Amino acid sequence: MPEMLSLRQLFALLIAVLTTGSILAETTTNTLVIHADQGRDTISRNIYGQFSEHLGHCIYGGAWVGEGSPIPNTRGIRNDVVAALKKIQVPVLRWPGGCFADEYHWMDGIGPRDQRPLRVNSNWGGVTESNAFGTHEFLDFCDQIGAAPYLGGNVGSGTVEEMAQWVEYMTADGNSTLANLRRINGREQPWRIPFFAVGNESWGCGGNMTPEYYSDTFRRYNSFIKDSPGRRIYRVASGASDWNFNWTEVLMKNVGQRMNGLSLHYYTLPTGNWSHKGSATKFTAADWHETLRRALLMDELVKRHSAIMDEFDPQKKVGLVVDEWGTWYDVEPRTNQGFLYQQNTLRDALVAGLTLNIFNRHCDRVKMACIAQLANVLQAMVLTENDKMIVTPSYWVFEMYAPHQGATLLPADLRAADYELNGQKIPAVSASASRDEAGKIHVTLCNLNPDDSARVDCELQGATARRLSGRVLTASEINAHNTFDQPDNVKPAEFTGFKATDNGFTTTLPPKSVMALELK
Ligand code: AHR
């Protein structure tokens, strides 16, 4: 006799039928051919970069608590956040903005902290900017987490002289007033500044310029950013947002290889409507599908901006730098509208997983990317509340994908089943593969379908999978997330549901999951 269903189970079944249209979970079949004998391009480590802005509690509360804080810190920087970030091997950290960068005057943030000026953060909530976290604190933070600094200079409201002097202050070795000022402020040796951006969103908050005007402005500011002997600064020009291909074209034509990188910004909004973006945690299966569909547009964006860059730069000397990407929802209820604080669910993990797969696959052109943002803002890695800190599902994706950093991309052909909802189709599976220096092959896979598992039959050309191991990130609910009371709701688990075949392996991804496999 089958057991009677409880009322609760009946209700759950009803919800499942209503939301998925089916009570039967199925398994889709997908094929992946990995050309392990055709690896050529390196996946830049910097694709796994982060972005930290003076916005809400990203810097203040997220990274910086000050030396006098009861929250354990090293020279004012939170120890728990540093420890978490070290585990995901953050290669590069962008600062101080964002829109904030074009109203930031670096001299405000040096010298004795109690004498630094108070400013209004006019972009983000109109709050007081204490300038307690400035150049020295940021570069110390980078040292503590092992990341390369990527600074953004102020073009919108700053002068060429100011930007040139900032670079001199940080990098000059000899006897100059600015180098000596740096020494007086506690830093004897010059810093190495590998990456520097000339403005941010110069078509918008960074000065509302035309691409022609910005191109000339870039050329002028860039002339006064001086390299130190043997230490070249990689110069990033402020690039397009979304589908603004004209911006890319004008910059490529008028600036060309004077820039080393050209940025691109793209955010995933579940609705595509900036006035009603949708909730981070309260969403339907249709919202899930639409969010992932919009996140997948990154592939088309990268391809189309790259195609324009190819026309002017067929040798791919100028990198595409996607230095702002991620999900953007309505702020959490009862939080400051200007602080952009949002929760982070399994849906965000899927967005992170499929986007990083896209960047890996386009690593011939995408040389750097920074998810927005590091802490407490947008698609964050960590959330903090006073002395508590949790890591998010997105954090775990960065941790699982870390072996791709610096590895060789292995081209792969994926034939994925459709994941269809309300007449809209997207591929159910996303994938990328690489080989690391030790010869291990890493395959990362996402099953975008929240209802059906996905079998992936993988053919390995030019390699054999003798030993396989894996981890998977999933949860029972599409909106599962970590909270300060339940910090481990969503975290990766060991996975063994694969088997070696004659020419590769087969694995079955659970519904709504991100998987990382290692093949030896
Ligand atoms: O990441 C938040 C903001 O989004 C940045 O400050 C800006 O560059 C973009 O519009």
Short mmCIF file of all heavy atoms in Angstrom, two decimals, residues 75-118:
data_model
loop_
_atom_site.label_atom_id
_atom_site.label_comp_id
_atom_site.label_asym_id
_atom_site.label_seq_id
_atom_site.Cartn_x
_atom_site.Cartn_y
_atom_site.Cartn_z
N ARG A 75 45.74 46.06 10.79
CA ARG A 75 45.86 47.47 10.34
C ARG A 75 44.53 47.99 9.81
O ARG A 75 44.46 48.66 8.77
CB ARG A 75 46.98 47.62 9.30
CG ARG A 75 48.38 47.34 9.86
CD ARG A 75 49.46 47.52 8.81
NE ARG A 75 49.38 46.55 7.73
CZ ARG A 75 49.81 45.29 7.81
NH1 ARG A 75 50.37 44.86 8.93
NH2 ARG A 75 49.68 44.47 6.78
N GLY A 76 43.42 47.60 10.48
CA GLY A 76 42.11 48.14 10.14
C GLY A 76 41.31 47.30 9.16
O GLY A 76 40.12 47.56 8.94
N ILE A 77 41.93 46.28 8.58
CA ILE A 77 41.24 45.47 7.56
C ILE A 77 40.77 44.15 8.18
O ILE A 77 41.55 43.46 8.85
CB ILE A 77 42.17 45.23 6.37
CG1 ILE A 77 42.48 46.59 5.70
CG2 ILE A 77 41.56 44.27 5.37
CD1 ILE A 77 43.67 46.60 4.80
N ARG A 78 39.51 43.81 7.95
CA ARG A 78 38.90 42.64 8.61
C ARG A 78 39.66 41.35 8.32
O ARG A 78 39.84 40.98 7.14
CB ARG A 78 37.47 42.42 8.09
CG ARG A 78 36.46 43.44 8.43
CD ARG A 78 35.12 43.01 7.86
NE ARG A 78 34.54 41.96 8.68
CZ ARG A 78 33.35 42.05 9.28
NH1 ARG A 78 32.62 43.12 9.14
NH2 ARG A 78 32.90 41.05 10.01
N ASN A 79 39.99 40.61 9.36
CA ASN A 79 40.71 39.35 9.18
C ASN A 79 39.83 38.28 8.55
O ASN A 79 40.30 37.46 7.76
CB ASN A 79 41.22 38.82 10.53
CG ASN A 79 42.32 39.71 11.10
OD1 ASN A 79 42.86 40.57 10.39
ND2 ASN A 79 42.63 39.53 12.37
N ASP A 80 38.52 38.27 8.93
CA ASP A 80 37.66 37.21 8.38
C ASP A 80 37.48 37.37 6.88
O ASP A 80 37.52 36.39 6.11
CB ASP A 80 36.29 37.17 9.10
CG ASP A 80 35.59 38.53 9.19
OD1 ASP A 80 36.13 39.52 8.69
OD2 ASP A 80 34.47 38.57 9.75
N VAL A 81 37.34 38.61 6.44
CA VAL A 81 37.16 38.86 5.00
C VAL A 81 38.45 38.52 4.25
O VAL A 81 38.42 37.87 3.19
CB VAL A 81 36.72 40.33 4.77
CG1 VAL A 81 36.75 40.68 3.29
CG2 VAL A 81 35.32 40.54 5.34
N VAL A 82 39.58 38.91 4.82
CA VAL A 82 40.86 38.60 4.17
C VAL A 82 41.01 37.08 4.04
O VAL A 82 41.37 36.56 2.97
CB VAL A 82 42.04 39.21 4.95
CG1 VAL A 82 43.38 38.66 4.46
CG2 VAL A 82 42.02 40.74 4.81
N ALA A 83 40.71 36.35 5.11
CA ALA A 83 40.88 34.88 5.07
C ALA A 83 39.97 34.27 4.01
O ALA A 83 40.38 33.39 3.24
CB ALA A 83 40.58 34.28 6.45
N ALA A 84 38.73 34.75 3.91
CA ALA A 84 37.80 34.20 2.91
C ALA A 84 38.30 34.50 1.50
O ALA A 84 38.27 33.64 0.62
CB ALA A 84 36.40 34.79 3.12
N LEU A 85 38.78 35.73 1.29
CA LEU A 85 39.19 36.11 -0.07
C LEU A 85 40.46 35.39 -0.50
O LEU A 85 40.64 35.09 -1.69
CB LEU A 85 39.37 37.63 -0.16
CG LEU A 85 38.07 38.43 0.05
CD1 LEU A 85 38.35 39.92 0.04
CD2 LEU A 85 37.03 38.09 -1.03
N LYS A 86 41.32 35.10 0.47
CA LYS A 86 42.54 34.36 0.10
C LYS A 86 42.19 33.00 -0.49
O LYS A 86 42.84 32.52 -1.41
CB LYS A 86 43.43 34.17 1.32
CG LYS A 86 44.31 35.38 1.61
CD LYS A 86 44.89 35.29 2.96
CE LYS A 86 46.35 35.04 2.94
NZ LYS A 86 46.94 35.25 4.28
N LYS A 87 41.11 32.40 0.02
CA LYS A 87 40.74 31.06 -0.46
C LYS A 87 40.27 31.07 -1.91
O LYS A 87 40.33 30.04 -2.58
CB LYS A 87 39.62 30.48 0.41
CG LYS A 87 40.12 30.00 1.74
CD LYS A 87 39.08 29.12 2.41
CE LYS A 87 39.39 29.02 3.89
NZ LYS A 87 38.23 29.13 4.74
N ILE A 88 39.75 32.19 -2.39
CA ILE A 88 39.32 32.19 -3.80
C ILE A 88 40.38 32.78 -4.72
O ILE A 88 40.17 32.94 -5.91
CB ILE A 88 37.95 32.88 -4.02
CG1 ILE A 88 37.94 34.33 -3.53
CG2 ILE A 88 36.83 32.10 -3.36
CD1 ILE A 88 36.68 35.09 -3.96
N GLN A 89 41.54 33.08 -4.14
CA GLN A 89 42.70 33.51 -4.93
C GLN A 89 42.37 34.70 -5.84
O GLN A 89 42.54 34.62 -7.06
CB GLN A 89 43.21 32.34 -5.78
CG GLN A 89 43.67 31.16 -4.94
CD GLN A 89 43.93 29.92 -5.77
OE1 GLN A 89 44.48 29.99 -6.85
NE2 GLN A 89 43.52 28.77 -5.25
N VAL A 90 41.89 35.76 -5.21
CA VAL A 90 41.53 36.96 -5.98
C VAL A 90 42.77 37.46 -6.73
O VAL A 90 43.76 37.85 -6.11
CB VAL A 90 41.01 38.08 -5.05
CG1 VAL A 90 40.68 39.34 -5.84
CG2 VAL A 90 39.82 37.60 -4.25
N PRO A 91 42.74 37.47 -8.06
CA PRO A 91 43.96 37.87 -8.78
C PRO A 91 44.14 39.37 -8.87
O PRO A 91 45.25 39.88 -8.87
CB PRO A 91 43.75 37.28 -10.19
CG PRO A 91 42.26 37.20 -10.35
CD PRO A 91 41.68 37.00 -8.98
N VAL A 92 43.01 40.09 -8.94
CA VAL A 92 43.09 41.54 -9.16
C VAL A 92 41.89 42.19 -8.49
O VAL A 92 40.79 41.62 -8.46
CB VAL A 92 43.15 41.84 -10.69
CG1 VAL A 92 41.93 41.38 -11.43
CG2 VAL A 92 43.39 43.32 -10.96
N LEU A 93 42.13 43.37 -7.91
CA LEU A 93 41.05 44.08 -7.21
C LEU A 93 40.97 45.51 -7.73
O LEU A 93 41.95 46.26 -7.71
CB LEU A 93 41.34 44.08 -5.70
CG LEU A 93 40.27 44.74 -4.82
CD1 LEU A 93 38.91 44.04 -4.96
CD2 LEU A 93 40.70 44.71 -3.34
N ARG A 94 39.76 45.87 -8.20
CA ARG A 94 39.53 47.21 -8.76
C ARG A 94 39.02 48.16 -7.68
O ARG A 94 38.18 47.77 -6.85
CB ARG A 94 38.49 47.07 -9.89
CG ARG A 94 38.09 48.35 -10.57
CD ARG A 94 37.17 48.03 -11.74
NE ARG A 94 36.82 49.22 -12.48
CZ ARG A 94 35.57 49.68 -12.62
NH1 ARG A 94 34.57 49.04 -12.06
NH2 ARG A 94 35.34 50.76 -13.31
N TRP A 95 39.48 49.41 -7.71
CA TRP A 95 39.15 50.40 -6.68
C TRP A 95 39.52 51.77 -7.21
O TRP A 95 40.45 51.85 -8.01
CB TRP A 95 39.97 50.07 -5.42
CG TRP A 95 39.81 51.03 -4.28
CD1 TRP A 95 38.83 51.05 -3.34
CD2 TRP A 95 40.70 52.12 -3.96
NE1 TRP A 95 39.04 52.08 -2.45
CE2 TRP A 95 40.18 52.76 -2.82
CE3 TRP A 95 41.87 52.64 -4.53
CZ2 TRP A 95 40.79 53.87 -2.24
CZ3 TRP A 95 42.48 53.74 -3.95
CH2 TRP A 95 41.94 54.34 -2.81
N PRO A 96 38.92 52.89 -6.83
CA PRO A 96 37.89 53.06 -5.78
C PRO A 96 36.46 53.09 -6.34
O PRO A 96 35.53 53.22 -5.58
CB PRO A 96 38.24 54.44 -5.20
CG PRO A 96 38.79 55.20 -6.38
CD PRO A 96 39.48 54.18 -7.26
N GLY A 97 36.30 53.03 -7.64
CA GLY A 97 34.97 52.98 -8.25
C GLY A 97 35.15 52.46 -9.65
O GLY A 97 36.28 52.15 -10.04
N GLY A 98 34.13 52.36 -10.38
CA GLY A 98 32.79 52.87 -10.33
C GLY A 98 32.68 54.41 -10.41
O GLY A 98 33.65 55.15 -10.59
N CYS A 99 31.42 54.77 -10.35
CA CYS A 99 31.10 56.20 -10.42
C CYS A 99 31.88 57.00 -9.38
O CYS A 99 32.22 58.16 -9.60
CB CYS A 99 29.60 56.41 -10.23
SG CYS A 99 28.60 55.67 -11.55
N PHE A 100 32.17 56.37 -8.24
CA PHE A 100 32.89 57.07 -7.18
C PHE A 100 34.26 57.56 -7.67
O PHE A 100 34.75 58.61 -7.23
CB PHE A 100 33.05 56.15 -5.96
CG PHE A 100 33.75 56.79 -4.80
CD1 PHE A 100 33.05 57.62 -3.94
CD2 PHE A 100 35.10 56.57 -4.58
CE1 PHE A 100 33.69 58.24 -2.85
CE2 PHE A 100 35.75 57.17 -3.50
CZ PHE A 100 35.04 58.00 -2.64
N ALA A 101 34.87 56.79 -8.57
CA ALA A 101 36.25 57.11 -8.99
C ALA A 101 36.34 58.49 -9.63
O ALA A 101 37.36 59.18 -9.49
CB ALA A 101 36.76 56.05 -9.98
N ASP A 102 35.27 58.89 -10.32
CA ASP A 102 35.34 60.17 -11.02
C ASP A 102 34.98 61.36 -10.14
O ASP A 102 34.84 62.48 -10.64
CB ASP A 102 34.48 60.12 -12.29
CG ASP A 102 35.21 59.43 -13.43
OD1 ASP A 102 36.20 59.97 -13.91
OD2 ASP A 102 34.80 58.32 -13.81
N GLU A 103 34.80 61.08 -8.84
CA GLU A 103 34.68 62.22 -7.92
C GLU A 103 35.67 62.05 -6.76
O GLU A 103 35.60 62.75 -5.77
CB GLU A 103 33.24 62.38 -7.39
CG GLU A 103 32.73 61.22 -6.57
CD GLU A 103 31.37 61.49 -5.93
OE1 GLU A 103 30.63 62.36 -6.43
OE2 GLU A 103 31.07 60.82 -4.93
N TYR A 104 36.60 61.11 -6.93
CA TYR A 104 37.56 60.83 -5.87
C TYR A 104 38.87 61.59 -6.11
O TYR A 104 39.44 61.52 -7.20
CB TYR A 104 37.86 59.32 -5.82
CG TYR A 104 38.82 58.94 -4.73
CD1 TYR A 104 38.50 59.15 -3.39
CD2 TYR A 104 40.06 58.36 -5.02
CE1 TYR A 104 39.38 58.79 -2.38
CE2 TYR A 104 40.94 58.00 -4.02
CZ TYR A 104 40.60 58.23 -2.70
OH TYR A 104 41.46 57.88 -1.70
N HIS A 105 39.29 62.28 -5.07
CA HIS A 105 40.55 63.02 -5.15
C HIS A 105 41.53 62.35 -4.19
O HIS A 105 41.35 62.37 -2.97
CB HIS A 105 40.32 64.50 -4.82
CG HIS A 105 39.35 65.12 -5.79
ND1 HIS A 105 39.72 65.49 -7.06
CD2 HIS A 105 38.02 65.34 -5.69
CE1 HIS A 105 38.67 65.96 -7.71
NE2 HIS A 105 37.62 65.86 -6.91
N TRP A 106 42.54 61.71 -4.78
CA TRP A 106 43.37 60.78 -4.01
C TRP A 106 44.07 61.44 -2.83
O TRP A 106 44.31 60.78 -1.81
CB TRP A 106 44.39 60.12 -4.95
CG TRP A 106 45.44 61.04 -5.48
CD1 TRP A 106 45.38 61.78 -6.61
CD2 TRP A 106 46.72 61.29 -4.90
NE1 TRP A 106 46.53 62.49 -6.79
CE2 TRP A 106 47.38 62.21 -5.75
CE3 TRP A 106 47.39 60.84 -3.77
CZ2 TRP A 106 48.66 62.69 -5.49
CZ3 TRP A 106 48.67 61.32 -3.49
CH2 TRP A 106 49.29 62.23 -4.34
N MET A 107 44.34 62.73 -2.93
CA MET A 107 45.05 63.39 -1.82
C MET A 107 44.18 63.44 -0.56
O MET A 107 44.70 63.62 0.54
CB MET A 107 45.45 64.79 -2.23
CG MET A 107 46.66 64.78 -3.13
SD MET A 107 47.86 65.97 -2.57
CE MET A 107 49.15 65.76 -3.76
N ASP A 108 42.84 63.30 -0.74
CA ASP A 108 41.95 63.26 0.43
C ASP A 108 42.23 62.02 1.29
O ASP A 108 41.87 61.98 2.47
CB ASP A 108 40.47 63.18 -0.01
CG ASP A 108 39.99 64.48 -0.64
OD1 ASP A 108 40.72 65.49 -0.58
OD2 ASP A 108 38.88 64.46 -1.20
N GLY A 109 42.80 60.99 0.68
CA GLY A 109 42.91 59.70 1.37
C GLY A 109 44.33 59.33 1.75
O GLY A 109 44.65 58.14 1.82
N ILE A 110 45.19 60.32 1.97
CA ILE A 110 46.54 60.01 2.47
C ILE A 110 46.80 60.87 3.72
O ILE A 110 46.08 61.82 3.98
CB ILE A 110 47.65 60.29 1.42
CG1 ILE A 110 47.60 61.74 0.94
CG2 ILE A 110 47.51 59.34 0.23
CD1 ILE A 110 48.81 62.17 0.13
N GLY A 111 47.84 60.50 4.45
CA GLY A 111 48.21 61.27 5.65
C GLY A 111 47.42 60.82 6.87
O GLY A 111 46.62 59.87 6.79
N PRO A 112 47.64 61.50 7.99
CA PRO A 112 46.98 61.09 9.25
C PRO A 112 45.47 61.03 9.06
O PRO A 112 44.86 61.97 8.54
CB PRO A 112 47.37 62.20 10.23
CG PRO A 112 48.59 62.83 9.65
CD PRO A 112 48.49 62.67 8.16
N ARG A 113 44.89 59.93 9.50
CA ARG A 113 43.46 59.72 9.21
C ARG A 113 42.57 60.77 9.85
O ARG A 113 41.55 61.15 9.28
CB ARG A 113 43.03 58.32 9.66
CG ARG A 113 43.26 57.32 8.57
CD ARG A 113 42.73 55.95 8.90
NE ARG A 113 43.70 55.02 8.37
CZ ARG A 113 44.51 54.27 9.07
NH1 ARG A 113 44.44 54.26 10.39
NH2 ARG A 113 45.39 53.50 8.50
N ASP A 114 42.98 61.22 11.04
CA ASP A 114 42.10 62.19 11.72
C ASP A 114 42.16 63.57 11.06
O ASP A 114 41.41 64.47 11.44
CB ASP A 114 42.42 62.26 13.22
CG ASP A 114 43.87 62.64 13.48
OD1 ASP A 114 44.62 62.82 12.48
OD2 ASP A 114 44.26 62.77 14.64
N GLN A 115 43.05 63.72 10.11
CA GLN A 115 43.11 65.03 9.42
C GLN A 115 42.58 64.97 7.99
O GLN A 115 42.67 65.93 7.24
CB GLN A 115 44.55 65.52 9.41
CG GLN A 115 45.05 65.91 10.78
CD GLN A 115 46.55 66.13 10.82
OE1 GLN A 115 47.16 66.54 9.83
NE2 GLN A 115 47.15 65.84 11.96
N ARG A 116 42.07 63.82 7.62
CA ARG A 116 41.59 63.70 6.23
C ARG A 116 40.23 64.40 6.11
O ARG A 116 39.41 64.37 7.03
CB ARG A 116 41.48 62.22 5.83
CG ARG A 116 42.85 61.54 5.82
CD ARG A 116 42.78 60.12 5.32
NE ARG A 116 44.06 59.44 5.55
CZ ARG A 116 44.29 58.16 5.31
NH1 ARG A 116 43.33 57.39 4.81
NH2 ARG A 116 45.47 57.63 5.55
N PRO A 117 39.99 65.01 4.97
CA PRO A 117 38.72 65.75 4.82
C PRO A 117 37.51 64.85 4.74
O PRO A 117 37.61 63.68 4.33
CB PRO A 117 38.92 66.49 3.49
CG PRO A 117 39.96 65.71 2.76
CD PRO A 117 40.85 65.08 3.79
N LEU A 118 36.38 65.36 5.15
CA LEU A 118 35.11 64.66 5.01
C LEU A 118 34.46 65.13 3.73
O LEU A 118 34.40 66.32 3.47
CB LEU A 118 34.19 64.96 6.19
CG LEU A 118 34.74 64.67 7.59
CD1 LEU A 118 33.69 65.05 8.65
CD2 LEU A 118 35.11 63.20 7.73
#
